Amino acid sequence: MESQVSVTNKQGKAGISSTATSKDKLYRFLNRYGMLVILIALVILMSILSPTFFTTGNLLNIVRQMSVVGIVAIGVTIVIITTGIDLSSGSVIALVSVVTASLAHPDTYPVVVPILVGLGLGLLTGVINGTIISKAKIAPFIVTLGMMTAARGAALLFSNGRPIGNLSPSFLWIGQGDVVGIPVPILIFALVGVISYILLNKTKFGKYVYAIGGNEQAAIIAGVNVDKYKIFVYAYAGLLSGLAGLILTSRISSGQPTAGVMYELDAIAAAVIGGTSLAGGIGTIGGTIVGALIIGVMNNGLDLLNVSPYWQQILKGVIITVAVFIDSRKNRKS
């Protein structure tokens, strides 16, 4: 009788253990691939609701449209992993847009000149952000908010508040050209994703970025030059904002002092939706790309369904709030 009870208890415990293991596996799977599942489900839903959604041209158009925000979001992701924030990226895009457009007229400078100036200008703003944050110990929110205002004002001042057009064909190719049928912005976006993945996962830079975000004091004790790596992080984010400004200027065929409005919030949304924790120390490049694509699919699908852009903004806000809520729950559990 006792042996039967013992066997029964063991079987019960094994059943509970098996159930718990299955739940753990499901939780780990959803924790890792949940946003990808949502993206696939969203694509299927939009394909059912709109016959024109799942076409090669439309899918390429979604990725091309989101490439600018996606590139910015990758830089923002690395910043957020260090527990920072960058609110200046949209304004930096505008500043880069008008400055590079003024240098990209036909028969003036070689196309490499506006490209290098645009990248250099973005890099400079990032270095300024990172230096003030790390050396003056001012909160990233305040510093990048100040840069957001200053860069937008500089863009308006430089252009007298007017668009700058008449761009050379070689410069326009950056945002409007294609290689074997694939738009150039998509190829640049993919290249930035691969390089950033390698930086975060295969180099000392990435190891220190996660260490700073996980526990900055522990990183300092371990000998990490936190100030230097924070400057690198913001410089890289600024560089990617400069690149995004080049692509956007080329795509819309003019330098616009009002370009990039709200792009910084879309970039932060893409990062958070993709699983980057606002508490720092957690985030992946792949997750951010998926987050950007979710926003792109949602925007495109709702446009095809003739949903008001006002409702689209409300829905995007709800999605961001839910993503942050899920992130906070995960942090509390851990």
Side-chain angles (χ1 to χ4, degrees):
M1 185 70 177
E2 289 179 1
S3 62
Q4 288 178 345
V5 171
S6 176
V7 169
T8 302
N9 287 340
K10 287 180 180 178
Q11 288 175 342
K13 289 178 180 178
I16 294 171
S17 176
S18 175
T19 303
T21 302
S22 298
K23 287 182 177 179
D24 288 342
K25 286 181 179 178
L26 178 61
Y27 175 78
R28 285 196 296 268
F29 176 82
L30 291 176
N31 192 37
R32 188 167 186 178
Y33 300 109
M35 286 301 126
L36 184 60
V37 172
I38 290 173
L39 174 61
I40 294 171
L42 197 56
V43 169
I44 294 172
L45 176 63
M46 292 302 179
S47 301
I48 294 171
L49 295 176
S50 174
T52 57
F53 177 84
F54 200 75
T55 60
T56 302
N58 189 57
L59 294 177
L60 285 174
N61 186 48
I62 291 172
V63 184
R64 180 171 53 224
Q65 288 180 338
M66 286 308 299
S67 60
V68 173
V69 171
I71 289 170
V72 175
I74 288 172
V76 167
T77 296
I78 299 176
V79 168
I80 294 176
I81 290 174
T82 65
T83 67
I85 199 74
D86 188 356
L87 301 176
S88 66
S89 48
S91 296
V92 171
I93 286 174
L95 180 58
V96 169
S97 179
V98 295
V99 172
T100 54
S102 69
L103 301 172
H105 300 310
D107 303 320
T108 51
Y109 300 101
V111 68
V112 69
V113 172
I115 290 174
L116 291 178
V117 169
L119 294 176
L121 188 55
L123 180 66
L124 177 62
T125 60
V127 169
I128 293 171
N129 281 338
T131 301
I132 296 174
I133 289 166
S134 60
K135 300 300 183 183
K137 307 302 180 186
I138 301 176
F141 180 89
I142 301 300
V143 174
T144 58
L145 181 63
M147 179 61 77
M148 178 182 76
T149 306
R152 182 70 65 181
L156 291 165
L157 182 65
F158 184 88
S159 63
N160 290 319
R162 299 191 183 101
I164 300 174
N166 188 30
L167 308 184
S168 67
S170 55
F171 185 83
L172 293 176
W173 182 82
I174 298 170
Q176 301 179 19
D178 64 81
V179 177
V180 294
I182 302 175
V184 173
I186 295 178
L187 295 175
I188 297 174
F189 182 27
L191 181 62
V192 169
V194 171
I195 292 172
S196 301
Y197 173 84
I198 293 171
L199 276 175
L200 267 188
N201 296 278
K202 306 295 182 182
T203 68
K204 182 172 68 174
F205 169 81
K207 186 186 300 183
Y208 288 166
V209 164
Y210 283 110
I212 292 168
N215 190 323
E216 185 172 320
Q217 290 304 314
I220 292 172
I221 293 171
V224 177
N225 189 336
V226 172
D227 288 352
K228 182 177 79 172
Y229 281 95
K230 280 187 177 181
I231 293 172
F232 284 173
V233 164
Y234 283 93
Y236 188 64
L239 179 68
L240 293 188
S241 294
L243 177 60
L246 286 169
I247 296 171
L248 182 62
T249 304
S250 175
R251 200 179 77 197
I252 62 179
S253 304
S254 64
Q256 297 280 350
T258 56
V261 174
M262 299 292 286
Y263 276 38
E264 62 278 349
L265 298 185
D266 281 347
I268 293 170
V272 172
I273 290 171
T276 302
S277 173
L278 292 172
I282 298 172
T284 63
I285 300 301
T288 294
I289 292 173
V290 170
L293 291 176
I294 286 174
I295 294 175
V297 167
M298 183 183 67
N299 288 343
N300 180 269
L302 294 176
D303 282 340
L304 291 176
L305 295 173
N306 294 318
V307 175
S308 166
Y310 306 134
W311 280 108
Q312 292 184 33
Q313 288 292 327
I314 293 171
L315 182 58
K316 191 183 297 182
V318 170
I319 291 174
I320 294 169
T321 303
V322 171
V324 173
F325 173 74
I326 293 171
D327 173 57
S328 64
R329 288 290 299 273
K330 286 195 295 186
N331 288 334
R332 281 201 295 269
K333 284 182 180 180
S334 62

